């Protein structure tokens, strides 16, 4: 029943953002992480893959930010509410030219995809990233504290069926990207694995 409510809630972007904001302390830790590792620059383009309703577009100037999501309702909401460029697009098949972005943000996508689909998406990330570019991955992991009852409950009822451990994410990401740094942090009640990556030396063969 709760899973059904969550799925219905996700159909209403403004309500979804409000509820997630309550559970994640207004996304303060996530926003801080994005600002630190993908700082805004007027001459560096950023691609936000699976951008949802577009809330994190506010961290970038409109002329450098591009957000994509498979959910048309989210994209239409983002186009009304935020500055930047937004497209309906499947994260497994990003339709941009090679070496076209200086930064790529992947937040809360991979735990919705099985390994094959996730690898297809990461292959696309490596393709559109410039050789000097940077990728920031932020993904749900199982709550590390038994006392975090709310965090455990959220993972049981949310619609991401492939929540992985940090080690599993490391293995997945290493197929197409090279890790520079990583950490685990908590945003409100939710625990996340974060990795900063660049192109593999063999990314030209992707």
């Amino acid at each position: 029943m709760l899973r059904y409510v969550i799925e219905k809630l996700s159909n209403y972007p403004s309500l979804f953002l409000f509820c997630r904001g309550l559970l994640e302390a207004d996304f303060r830790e996530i926003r801080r992480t994005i600002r630190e590792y993908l700082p805004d620059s007027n001459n560096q383009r950023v691609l936000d893959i699976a951008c949802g309703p577009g809330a994190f577009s506010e961290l970038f100037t409109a002329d450098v930010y591009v957000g994509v999501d498979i959910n048309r309702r989210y994209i239409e909401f983002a186009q009304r509410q935020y500055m930047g460029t937004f497209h309906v697009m499947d994260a497994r098949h990003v339709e941009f030219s090679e070496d076209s972005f200086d930064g790529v943000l992947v937040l809360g996508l991979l735990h919705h995809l099985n390994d094959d689909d996730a690898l297809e998406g990461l292959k696309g990330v490596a393709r559109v990233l410039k050789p000097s570019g940077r990728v920031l991955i932020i993904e749900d992991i199982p709550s590390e504290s038994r006392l975090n009852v709310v965090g455990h409950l959220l993972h049981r009822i949310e619609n991401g069926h492939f929540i992985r451990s940090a080690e599993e994410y490391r293995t997945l990401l290493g197929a197409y990207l090279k890790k520079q740094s990583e950490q685990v942090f908590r945003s409100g009640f939710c625990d996340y694995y974060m990795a900063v990556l660049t192109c593999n030396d063999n990314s030209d063969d992707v």
Side-chain angles (χ1 to χ4, degrees):
M1 179 62 180
L2 283 175
R3 188 184 296 274
Y4 174 80
V5 172
I6 293 294
E7 289 178 357
K8 287 297 183 183
L9 179 65
S10 65
N11 288 326
Y12 300 92
S14 57
L15 187 57
F16 174 76
L17 283 175
F18 174 76
C19 292
R20 288 296 303 214
L22 288 178
L23 293 169
E24 299 201 42
D26 197 29
F27 305 107
R28 284 194 297 272
E29 190 61 23
I30 288 179
R31 291 175 184 273
R32 183 201 64 76
T33 301
I34 295 172
R35 287 192 181 100
E36 179 176 353
Y37 294 102
L38 288 180
D40 185 28
S41 174
N42 287 328
N43 57 8
Q44 293 197 336
R45 296 183 73 208
V46 172
L47 174 62
D48 185 356
I49 298 181
C51 67
F56 299 109
S57 64
E58 296 179 315
L59 303 178
F60 304 94
T61 51
D63 57 342
V64 304
Y65 175 90
V66 179
V68 301
D69 199 280
I70 199 170
N71 188 320
R72 182 173 297 276
R73 184 174 297 193
Y74 281 170
I75 292 299
E76 290 174 350
F77 176 87
Q79 289 171 335
R80 294 193 303 268
Q81 297 294 323
Y82 300 110
M83 304 295 289
T85 302
F86 297 92
H87 301 285
V88 177
M89 192 177 296
D90 190 330
R92 296 167 296 182
H93 308 288
V94 288
E95 301 170 5
F96 298 103
S97 58
E98 294 183 11
D99 304 340
S100 53
F101 289 95
D102 302 277
V104 178
L105 173 63
V106 181
L107 198 169
L109 165 67
L110 300 180
H111 74 284
H112 291 279
L113 303 176
N114 62 35
D115 285 358
D116 288 342
D117 287 339
L119 287 170
E120 194 66 25
L122 292 169
K123 180 179 179 180
V125 169
R127 184 181 62 80
V128 302
L129 185 69
K130 292 181 179 180
S132 59
R134 172 182 287 181
V135 181
L136 175 61
I137 305 278
I138 302 176
E139 282 295 333
D140 295 72
I141 58 173
S143 181
E144 297 196 319
S145 172
R146 294 182 179 179
L147 300 179
N148 185 10
V149 177
V150 176
H152 287 291
L153 178 62
L154 284 173
H155 282 169
R156 287 175 64 90
I157 64 177
E158 76 124 47
N159 57 6
H161 303 301
F162 301 96
I163 295 175
R164 300 170 175 88
S165 67
E167 182 57 40
E168 289 172 320
Y169 282 121
R170 276 186 215 109
T171 301
L172 197 67
L173 298 174
Y176 293 109
L177 297 162
K178 180 168 61 178
K179 179 171 62 68
Q180 299 294 302
S181 64
E182 65 179 358
Q183 63 177 273
V184 171
F185 68 90
R186 179 172 295 175
S187 173
F189 293 104
C190 301
D191 289 353
Y192 289 97
Y193 169 75
M194 182 278 288
V196 178
L197 308 106
T198 58
C199 286
N200 271 337
D201 293 337
N202 62 350
S203 60
D204 290 340
D205 298 329
V206 172

